[in-house]
Amino acid sequence: MLPPSLQQTILLGGILLAPIAVAVPSTPSPLDACGSLASKNISSITVADVSNCYRAIPFNSTQAKTTLETVYTLFKDYYVFTDLALNPRVPKPFKNEPVDVLGRLETIGRTKYSSDFQFHTDIRATIEALKDGHASCDVNCYASYNFVNRLALHAPVVNGTQQLRVFRDIHDDEYKGCIVETIDGQPSWPYMKWWSTNVLGYSHDPNARLNLALATQMYKPDMGRFDTFDGLFAARTVPPANNTIEYQLRCDGASKPIQISGEWIVQPVNDKVNFDSIESFVKNVCLAPNDEESAHGPTPAPVPIPNPSPAGPLPGISVQEFPGAEKILEGNGTVFYHLKEQPHIGVMVIHTFDIAPVEIEGEVVFQGLTALNSRNVTNLVIDFQSNIGGYVELSAIVVQLLFPNKSPFDVLLQADQRVAKPLQQAALHGYRANTTEYMDASLLVDLKTGLPYKDNSIFSRPVTLTRNGRQNLYTERTALLVPTIPQSQVDVIKTFPWTDNADNIRVITDGRSGSATGMTTYLLTNEHNVEAFVVGGTAGEDMSMFSFAGASVLALSDIQQTYKGLGAVSPMRDIPYSSTIRFSWLEVYARDSSIPLEYDAVRFRTKNHLNYSIETSFDRSAMWKQVAALSWKR
Ligand SMILES: *[C@@H]1O[C@H](CO)[C@@H](O)[C@H](O)[C@H]1NC(C)=O
Ligand SMILES: *[C@@H]1O[C@H](CO)[C@@H](O)[C@H](O)[C@H]1NC(C)=O
Ligand SMILES: *[C@@H]1O[C@H](CO)[C@@H](O)[C@H](O)[C@H]1NC(C)=O
Ligand SMILES: *[C@@H]1O[C@H](CO)[C@@H](O)[C@H](O)[C@H]1NC(C)=O
Ligand SMILES: *[C@@H]1O[C@H](CO)[C@@H](O)[C@H](O)[C@H]1NC(C)=O
Ligand SMILES: *[C@@H]1O[C@H](CO)[C@@H](O)[C@H](O)[C@H]1NC(C)=O
Ligand SMILES: *[C@@H]1O[C@H](CO)[C@@H](O)[C@H](O)[C@H]1NC(C)=O
Ligand SMILES: *[C@@H]1O[C@H](CO)[C@@H](O)[C@H](O)[C@H]1NC(C)=O
């Protein structure tokens, strides 16, 4: 049964809900729903104020038709997993329902809407149902406000029992550490499992989604230290069902449980936007020109925390947050620590692969490893928690700095791409023609020669693959072109005690580790036999090391620009409302496998599953020590 407060967010399951009536203010007012939102002092905006404005946006069937047709074409001819998603039959740790994304979009096309918000919410939910972190639909005007709850929760195992507890409380951490017994009157654990399993997309593994829902520590480069990430249960862009979440808590030493209201703090994402009515909201927010960027990086944008961060210490190596671990060097995506009481252990935290130029960050990784070696470190812990991906090129550099290539094919991930008819025509002119990789084979490797293709003929001679009964055209097996590290670096690193030596390396992930991070972890664990530890999820249940490792991501706008740049007409019209729609395009395979990695569940598993304890939830260095102690006896 669905907790009633969640019905708004869940629209799938065969039947779409009837359109929700437009909210009518109870007292007559010259202001409409968006006008009344605009007139409020920011500090007193409620969830209902935002919801009422969103729901009041009228449905324009002309615009909706354009939107739906474009999304439909994108998922019919460009998204690479449309056929695989039909009936994946994947083993543990995945849990997939078959998703007929085209069928669901057709259902939306037959539904009568009066609310534009409902229409867009249904499209978004259809794409989220794919449980692919690379596939998303974000419409800017319906993500104009952030909602952060008073409490952020986590699920450590204490004395052998896993329970939801308060990770942080905006009110001076008053209830931090208390056990959460109920959420909106429902037993908290099944409620949270239900919420994360059904509301979130992101991963084929519900336990990775559980980790994403909950709070954790995440490295903040602007602060130069780890800080709280609230988790997507407590920090949202979709308006929650009610103005508060009602919690029943049990705190240490108290004989009785207590009830508290967890209010949502509502903040505009962009305070420069001007509107004073429904009409001006549509004009100035929904239809505003899109200044979106291309989708090179990871998809799921971390939800910003509305409270301005405390000024905090200056970034740089002066911030020494862990008494037992010395920070020795940091780049924009990488931080190196040296454990003081176990001086043979070094730690490399890579918190993002979304750093360009990749060669510069690669140099940081090289310098960090060199520094650890000069301190006589012999064993390396690599921490990928919360890293949701970025550049495959950087991932390739990192892997080579640990396992130098013996053959140029070592670090290449085999891949293919959908080749629909409209693409073939435009691709004739795409060779080295533009900066978007979608139709340019100079960025792909011919696996027969190990070199980039010399022309774009790969798009003119596709192969037919049949998946779940559907036939479609794909390129032959190829691979993304990635850099190799210079021989001068190989000559230095080859003497390090962990280089080419899986026994001296361990990886820590949290299941949220996604995309390029997943590919890196795949290469380290499956091809180089490094052992990985995954932390969190549900104690005692199997869990994925990583998520959405099986593809590269692009935005719809990238394809549109490619067509424009080539002077060709895209089969997709631009979407009227400013939005970012992302999709998986290049699907990768594990070596010698015929199952695309995205659905190759066994490659995601690890036998090493750790629980969070109270200590390791709040002190990352305690987790590094735990992994080192479990891995290397001294
Ligand atoms: C939240 O809203 C739903 C639907 O209106 C309601 O059934 C539920 O009881 C509300 N929860 C609380 C705690 O008010
Ligand atoms: C908004 O509300 C806060 C707190 O109630 C108050 O301090 C502030 O002066 C108000 N701002 C405006 C512009 O009314
Ligand atoms: C719907 O959108 C179209 C295209 O932007 C516009 O021409 C038309 O006036 C709109 N209809 C209404 C009722 O606003
Ligand atoms: C765990 O169990 C020990 C021994 O029974 C007890 O002293 C301690 O308070 C328990 N810890 C928590 C957090 O419940
Ligand atoms: C995690 O917690 C579960 C349940 O308390 C327990 O059975 C399991 O042994 C724990 N795992 C580890 C690695 O301690
Ligand atoms: C980190 O980013 C800053 C600002 O973008 C840039 O100036 C700097 O060169 C980068 N450092 C590294 C090591 O990449
Ligand atoms: C590393 O080990 C060498 C050889 O044992 C020793 O000479 C050197 O002082 C050590 N360096 C550090 C930083 O401990
Ligand atoms: C590449 O695309 C951009 C953006 O559409 C366009 O301005 C540019 O002319 C294109 N470059 C080439 C070489 O076709």
Side-chain angles (χ1 to χ4, degrees):
M1 192 197 71
L2 309 192
S5 63
L6 293 171
Q7 289 184 353
Q8 179 216 329
T9 340
I10 293 305
L11 299 145
L12 294 169
I15 305 152
L16 289 152
L17 299 183
I20 290 170
V22 167
V24 181
S26 51
T27 48
S29 153
L31 297 171
D32 63 30
C34 295
S36 109
L37 168 63
S39 72
K40 284 226 166 172
N41 183 336
I42 285 179
S43 64
S44 60
I45 295 176
T46 65
V47 171
D49 294 330
V50 178
S51 261
N52 289 341
C53 169
Y54 288 180
R55 290 177 189 287
I57 309 298
F59 179 74
N60 179 322
S61 57
T62 314
Q63 290 176 339
K65 187 164 182 287
T66 306
T67 302
L68 192 62
E69 281 172 2
T70 293
V71 172
Y72 190 85
T73 305
L74 187 71
F75 281 84
K76 181 166 74 64
D77 289 340
Y78 297 84
Y79 181 63
V80 78
F81 299 126
T82 299
D83 299 344
L84 269 177
L86 279 175
N87 184 17
R89 281 192 290 267
V90 285
K92 285 199 299 183
F94 289 2
K95 213 170 153 186
N96 282 89
E97 303 298 327
V99 182
D100 179 0
V101 66
L102 300 179
R104 290 186 183 200
L105 291 171
E106 285 159 14
T107 304
I108 291 175
R110 290 191 300 268
T111 304
K112 274 184 84 68
Y113 289 95
S114 59
S115 155
D116 183 71
F117 177 61
Q118 193 61 46
F119 166 73
H120 278 103
T121 301
D122 288 355
I123 291 190
R124 181 191 167 99
T126 300
I127 295 173
E128 294 282 304
L130 292 161
K131 307 297 183 196
D132 173 359
H134 282 136
S136 63
C137 172
D138 295 302
V139 178
N140 293 7
C141 62
Y142 299 129
S144 301
Y145 290 81
N146 286 326
F147 305 91
V148 174
N149 199 260
R150 167 177 177 176
L151 301 186
L153 312 181
H154 69 142
V157 172
V158 179
N159 281 353
T161 307
Q162 185 172 31
Q163 273 162 328
L164 284 176
R165 287 177 184 253
V166 177
F167 189 91
R168 68 116 190 86
D169 176 354
I170 279 175
H171 299 185
D172 292 329
D173 275 338
E174 185 178 357
Y175 293 113
K176 180 175 172 176
C178 296
I179 293 168
V180 181
E181 293 191 330
T182 68
I183 299 176
D184 280 348
Q186 318 257 345
S188 66
W189 183 248
Y191 182 101
M192 184 59 72
K193 291 269 279 187
W194 184 90
W195 191 90
S196 54
T197 299
N198 293 287
V199 175
L200 298 180
Y202 194 83
S203 175
H204 299 298
D205 180 344
N207 278 314
R209 305 205 285 279
L210 178 63
N211 273 6
L212 185 67
L214 296 174
T216 185
Q217 296 266 317
M218 190 156 142
Y219 194 80
K220 296 273 174 67
D222 54 334
M223 295 178 162
R225 61 175 171 83
F226 283 84
D227 195 27
T228 299
F229 168 76
D230 286 328
L232 297 191
F233 184 74
R236 309 185 190 179
T237 52
V238 174
N242 300 335
N243 281 331
T244 62
I245 296 180
E246 298 301 316
Y247 294 104
Q248 178 174 302
L249 306 178
R250 186 174 290 273
C251 307
D252 254 1
S255 55
K256 284 197 198 127
I258 47 164
Q259 319 288 332
I260 69 154
S261 270
E263 73 275 15
W264 291 98
I265 292 155
V266 186
Q267 287 240 320
V269 169
N270 176 354
D271 47 27
K272 288 192 282 293
V273 184
N274 264 316
F275 63 92
D276 57 11
S277 62
I278 294 171
E279 197 187 340
S280 57
F281 185 83
V282 171
K283 183 159 167 284
N284 301 344
V285 188
C286 300
L287 293 169
N290 210 359
D291 52 356
E292 69 174 290
E293 290 164 22
S294 114
H296 244 299
T299 313
V303 179
I305 299 170
N307 293 336
S309 308
L314 290 172
I317 58 166
S318 57
V319 182
Q320 296 295 341
E321 66 198 290
F322 303 122
E326 182 188 355
K327 181 154 86 173
I328 56 176
L329 196 138
E330 112 175 85
N332 288 340
T334 321
V335 198
F336 286 86
Y337 293 88
H338 187 190
L339 299 191
K340 288 181 183 162
E341 279 154 31
Q342 295 95 334
H344 61 295
I345 310 283
V347 180
M348 172 167 71
V349 177
I350 304 187
H351 51 86
T352 176
F353 280 98
D354 198 17
I355 301 289
V358 295
E359 285 77 11
I360 309 255
E361 194 66 20
E363 181 67 25
V364 173
V365 174
F366 172 72
Q367 295 295 346
L369 294 173
T370 306
L372 292 179
N373 180 64
S374 68
R375 287 165 171 247
N376 292 344
V377 163
T378 55
N379 300 53
L380 185 65
V381 174
I382 303 173
D383 190 343
F384 282 146
Q385 288 174 78
S386 304
N387 183 333
I388 56 172
Y391 289 88
V392 179
E393 292 86 343
L394 182 54
S395 152
I397 290 172
V398 168
V399 172
Q400 290 171 78
L401 284 167
L402 300 166
F403 294 88
N405 279 354
K406 296 191 174 68
S407 134
F409 292 99
D410 282 359
V411 90
L412 294 181
L413 287 162
Q414 292 195 11
D416 60 27
Q417 181 183 338
R418 284 286 311 280
V419 190
K421 295 278 177 207
L423 175 83
Q424 290 186 348
Q425 202 55 33
L428 291 176
H429 310 286
Y431 192 76
R432 285 204 179 135
N434 219 294
T435 50
T436 319
E437 52 264 73
Y438 197 70
M439 298 178 201
D440 183 357
S442 73
L443 303 169
L444 298 173
V445 177
D446 182 342
L447 295 176
K448 290 185 289 298
T449 61
L451 298 170
Y453 290 98
K454 294 200 174 65
D455 59 35
N456 250 10
S457 62
I458 182 175
F459 297 110
S460 316
R461 46 181 167 84
V463 297
T464 303
L465 297 181
T466 305
R467 288 174 172 170
N468 294 315
R470 273 197 203 150
Q471 288 195 338
N472 268 305
L473 299 178
Y474 296 77
T475 63
E476 65 186 28
R477 281 285 178 100
T478 172
L480 264 188
L481 183 62
V482 292
T484 45
I485 61 169
Q487 186 60 39
S488 56
Q489 288 187 349
V490 176
D491 292 340
V492 175
I493 60 164
K494 70 183 179 198
T495 62
F496 298 171
W498 55 81
T499 299
D500 235 340
N501 182 3
D503 287 347
N504 286 22
I505 304 176
R506 292 294 182 272
V507 168
I508 313 177
T509 68
D510 60 5
R512 301 171 48 202
S513 314
S515 196
T517 317
M519 294 179 194
T520 314
T521 310
Y522 157 76
L523 287 167
L524 293 175
T525 56
N526 284 251
E527 301 213 350
H528 296 294
N529 300 315
V530 172
E531 280 196 34
F533 289 80
V534 61
V535 63
T538 305
E541 283 184 18
D542 212 344
M543 181 161 180
S544 302
M545 292 181 275
F546 45 80
S547 296
F548 58 106
S552 280
V553 63
L554 282 178
L556 170 63
S557 59
D558 292 319
I559 300 200
Q560 299 297 71
Q561 271 179 23
T562 305
Y563 277 107
K564 260 182 224 144
L566 297 173
V569 178
S570 168
M572 294 170 281
R573 278 181 288 169
D574 287 339
I575 288 190
Y577 278 13
S578 87
S579 52
T580 304
I581 302 185
R582 291 189 162 100
F583 69 105
S584 301
W585 66 287
L586 195 86
E587 65 183 340
V588 310
Y589 297 81
R591 197 170 298 282
D592 302 324
S593 174
S594 58
I595 308 166
L597 181 59
E598 184 71 15
Y599 283 91
D600 205 350
V602 291
R603 320 265 176 182
F604 289 62
R605 292 174 68 170
T606 172
K607 61 180 171 26
N608 305 308
H609 183 182
L610 295 179
N611 303 315
Y612 284 109
S613 65
I614 300 277
E615 193 190 14
T616 60
S617 289
F618 291 103
D619 178 351
R620 187 61 66 82
S621 70
M623 197 186 295
W624 301 331
K625 284 182 203 163
Q626 181 189 15
V627 165
L630 289 168
S631 304
W632 302 298
K633 308 267 179 286
R634 278 250 160 170

